[in-house]
Amino acid sequence: MSTPARIGIQLQPQHAQYPAIRAAAAKVEEMGADIAFNWDHFYPLYGEPEGLHFECWTMLAAWAEATSRIEIGALVSCNSYRNPELLADMARTVDHVSAHDTGAGRLVLGIGSGWFEKDYDEYGYEFGTAGGRLDKLRDDLPRIESRLGKLNPAPTRKIPVLIGGGGEKKTLRLVAKHADIWHTFGDVETFTRKSAVLDERCAEIGRDPGEIERSVGVENVEEAEALFAAGARLFTIGVGGPDYDTAVLADLLAWRDAKNA
């Protein structure tokens, strides 16, 4: 793969007031990160379970106004929480808001099937089964694509779709059919095996696997280096509030610049 390395950071919207989150988004853009993600949960995943937390998509709209260069998105939006047509309209709107005067939006539409049971229980969604949630994602992705094609005004660009997950029987088939970016977690061995399965899923439907950017969560430069050699190109670290420590991000950005030189 000749595509360059890119660096993302997930600013987890937990344990911080919004001014700190907004300042973190501005800082990582200034540092040169390629993508700033949040996540789509209603409660913290780490630390105090009833701690400070904010909603995903309203925050993305705010980031669209508060930033001007960096791509933005959810890692990942939970398909269960919104009607797919509504989600498409929300994505199109954030795409336009993020375009400012350039005409080109900066939204990445990250999506997954959902997994955090507390969110479902507290907000009144049916949790069901992992397989059922994946089946719903399978059925909803074409609806999202169809609605994006009907909206007026249309999106400013073909909004990149990122699908998160590593399930080989269902998720990677959805990635092969619908995604521009595949996001996963794991060591080099796991990534390599699942990446090969994704290549097979693409071959089954006649799609060039090189069209799908491989994205992975990392904790340091050493992991990124090993995963780059295995074919990953987008590397994302996660940081939470209240401090939003960007030390590892700085290391990854220096590594990216040297790698892409």
Side-chain angles (χ1 to χ4, degrees):
M1 296 175 66
S2 61
T3 52
R6 300 201 297 156
I7 303 299
I9 184 166
Q10 185 187 60
L11 300 173
Q12 299 157 355
Q14 60 177 3
H15 307 307
Q17 296 288 356
Y18 183 68
I21 301 172
R22 181 181 61 222
K27 180 180 179 180
V28 302
E29 176 173 59
E30 182 178 0
M31 290 175 68
D34 295 291
I35 305 180
F37 295 107
N38 61 9
W39 66 27
D40 192 17
H41 296 291
F42 306 129
Y43 291 90
L45 297 187
Y46 316 118
E48 168 53 50
E50 300 296 324
L52 299 172
H53 201 279
F54 289 98
E55 192 275 330
C56 168
W57 276 92
T58 46
M59 180 175 291
L60 288 176
W63 286 5
E65 283 285 10
T67 62
S68 60
R69 178 200 62 80
I70 197 168
E71 287 191 309
I72 57 174
L75 191 64
V76 290
S77 187
C78 177
N79 183 59
S80 306
Y81 300 160
R82 299 163 192 87
N83 168 281
E85 282 78 16
L86 172 62
L87 180 61
D89 204 339
M90 293 165 64
R92 182 278 310 256
T93 299
V94 174
D95 167 70
H96 274 264
V97 174
S98 69
H100 293 204
D101 297 328
T102 68
R106 295 176 286 120
L107 178 74
V108 173
L109 178 52
I111 193 165
S113 60
W115 63 272
F116 191 38
E117 189 169 3
K118 181 177 180 178
D119 282 348
Y120 286 80
D121 293 344
E122 292 284 348
Y123 277 63
Y125 296 108
E126 180 182 353
F127 187 59
T129 66
R133 293 191 299 276
L134 277 167
D135 289 344
K136 187 175 189 306
L137 180 60
R138 175 201 63 204
D139 295 340
D140 287 352
L141 282 165
R143 292 172 60 182
I144 292 169
E145 293 167 350
S146 176
R147 181 56 53 185
L148 285 170
K150 297 175 182 178
L151 292 167
N152 185 15
T156 67
R157 63 173 182 167
K158 197 282 183 186
I159 298 175
V161 172
L162 178 155
I163 295 179
E168 297 177 15
K169 292 182 179 180
K170 291 187 176 183
T171 302
L172 292 182
R173 293 186 190 279
L174 297 179
V175 173
K177 187 173 182 179
H178 298 282
D180 302 287
I181 306 169
W182 166 53
H183 182 81
T184 189
F185 295 92
D187 58 18
V188 172
E189 181 181 359
T190 301
F191 173 82
T192 301
R193 186 185 75 253
K194 292 184 181 293
S195 188
V197 173
L198 177 57
D199 290 347
E200 293 173 3
R201 300 292 177 254
C202 288
E204 290 169 1
I205 62 172
R207 184 177 183 190
D208 178 1
E211 295 176 356
I212 302 173
E213 184 177 29
R214 314 297 165 104
S215 169
V216 66
V218 297
E219 295 185 358
N220 52 55
V221 168
E222 291 74 21
E223 290 183 3
E225 180 68 42
L227 286 158
F228 183 91
R233 289 298 181 268
L234 174 58
F235 306 90
T236 297
I237 61 165
V239 296
D243 298 326
Y244 293 104
D245 185 351
T246 57
V248 175
L249 174 65
D251 292 340
L252 284 165
L253 291 172
W255 169 82
R256 176 202 65 189
D257 292 345
K259 182 65 69 174
N260 292 342

